[in-house]
Amino acid sequence: MATIVEKFFDDKAALTEELSQSLEQALRDGIEADGRAVLMVSGGSSPEPAYKHLSTLDLNWAHVDVAMVDERWVEVSHEKSNEAFIKRTLLQNHGAAANFISMKNAAATAEQGVDECEVQFQALKRPFDVTILGMGPDGHTASLFPHAQGLENGLDSNQLVCAINAIESDVTGSITERMSLTLNAISQSKVVKLLISGDEKLAVYKQALAGGNVNDMPLRAVLNHPEINIEVYWAP
């Protein structure tokens, strides 16, 4: 079982304030201890205000590596690109000086691009200072989707990244081809911050926490991992 600390807030503003302060401290501590800090980022509305706040802080951003937790296999110009979202929110203002590591490369498919991506991610300092995860109503996290092609590899591999082809659903949308951190990579973080909001997702989180088949709800693999320290941030 992972080490889990639940941080439940009355509203999203309180969550954002706590998350922002925590991320700032983690980056400062990483730079002080190791000369560099590594922040693994996810897309989504929950971390967006914290990203925007972080971008305004006078950190030593040139010593911060920012890398994606997962990415749709689309060009950065695509409206669904997580990289584009990070560049619009976190990599602005002072944050623009950070070193950004993309998951998307020129390969035609994620499967063909996985080796190049792996080399990029292997060069990052480990353990990562912070990994930010979201969670879908289907129990996926990163792009580790239920019963996806590549899920077994993503949960069992010693690599840091994996190619995923999800089963199309309302959650995935039409873009099912992804690159994702593996469970192994997620476990190599000092802390994982799992961001969830609303009663529906809280119920999904509790269902995952109760145990069951990891292929049905891949978040279970993270919650059950004995080497992962998770802070769960929830607001209505």
Side-chain angles (χ1 to χ4, degrees):
M1 192 74 179
T3 302
I4 300 173
V5 176
E6 294 178 341
K7 299 186 174 187
F8 288 9
F9 300 89
D10 292 333
D11 54 50
K12 290 181 180 177
L15 182 154
T16 294
E17 182 177 2
E18 165 72 22
L19 178 62
S20 299
Q21 292 176 354
S22 177
L23 292 176
E24 177 185 1
Q25 192 61 53
L27 294 179
R28 292 191 187 280
D29 289 349
I31 293 169
E32 182 176 352
D34 306 313
R36 295 201 74 77
V38 177
L39 176 62
M40 293 292 186
V41 291
S42 293
S45 59
S46 293
E48 182 174 2
Y51 291 160
K52 289 180 174 178
H53 172 73
L54 271 184
S55 77
T56 67
L57 298 179
D58 190 17
L59 291 167
N60 192 352
W61 283 102
H63 290 255
V64 176
D65 296 311
V66 175
M68 300 304 307
V69 163
D70 67 322
E71 182 61 279
R72 298 173 180 88
W73 206 250
V74 295
E75 296 302 323
V76 71
S77 57
H78 195 284
E79 64 177 1
K80 295 291 188 181
S81 166
N82 283 337
E83 177 176 331
F85 168 79
I86 295 300
K87 288 180 173 177
R88 286 194 308 269
T89 56
L90 179 61
L91 303 180
Q92 297 286 329
N93 308 306
H94 292 299
N99 176 45
F100 179 74
I101 295 88
S102 175
M103 271 190 153
K104 176 67 171 68
N105 53 50
T109 66
E111 188 65 49
Q112 291 170 346
V114 72
D115 289 345
E116 180 182 336
C117 187
E118 180 72 19
V119 170
Q120 295 275 87
F121 276 64
Q122 285 285 351
L124 292 167
K125 178 197 85 169
R126 280 176 280 164
F128 311 132
D129 291 283
V130 183
T131 296
I132 298 173
L133 295 180
M135 183 204 73
D138 58 353
H140 85 267
T141 191
S143 275
L144 301 173
F145 283 91
H147 303 285
Q149 180 183 333
L151 175 62
E152 184 175 348
N153 178 56
L155 296 178
D156 297 340
S157 173
N158 290 324
Q159 301 283 88
L160 297 177
V161 300
C162 61
I164 294 285
N165 197 352
I167 298 168
E168 187 170 346
S169 68
D170 291 342
V171 178
T172 66
S174 61
I175 305 167
T176 59
E177 192 177 351
R178 313 286 183 101
M179 191 77 76
S180 178
L181 290 186
T182 61
L183 179 62
N184 174 55
I186 293 169
S187 75
Q188 295 190 50
S189 187
K190 293 176 184 174
V191 64
V192 171
K193 294 183 181 290
L194 176 64
L195 311 184
I196 53 180
S197 61
D199 291 335
E200 179 189 357
K201 286 197 175 181
L202 182 59
V204 173
Y205 161 70
K206 288 182 176 178
Q207 184 182 353
L209 196 59
N213 191 325
V214 296
N215 295 305
D216 293 337
M217 299 181 78
L219 178 64
R220 288 171 173 152
V222 178
L223 298 175
N224 289 334
H225 198 292
E227 296 173 17
I228 296 181
N229 296 311
I230 306 175
E231 294 177 357
V232 182
Y233 286 69
W234 176 85

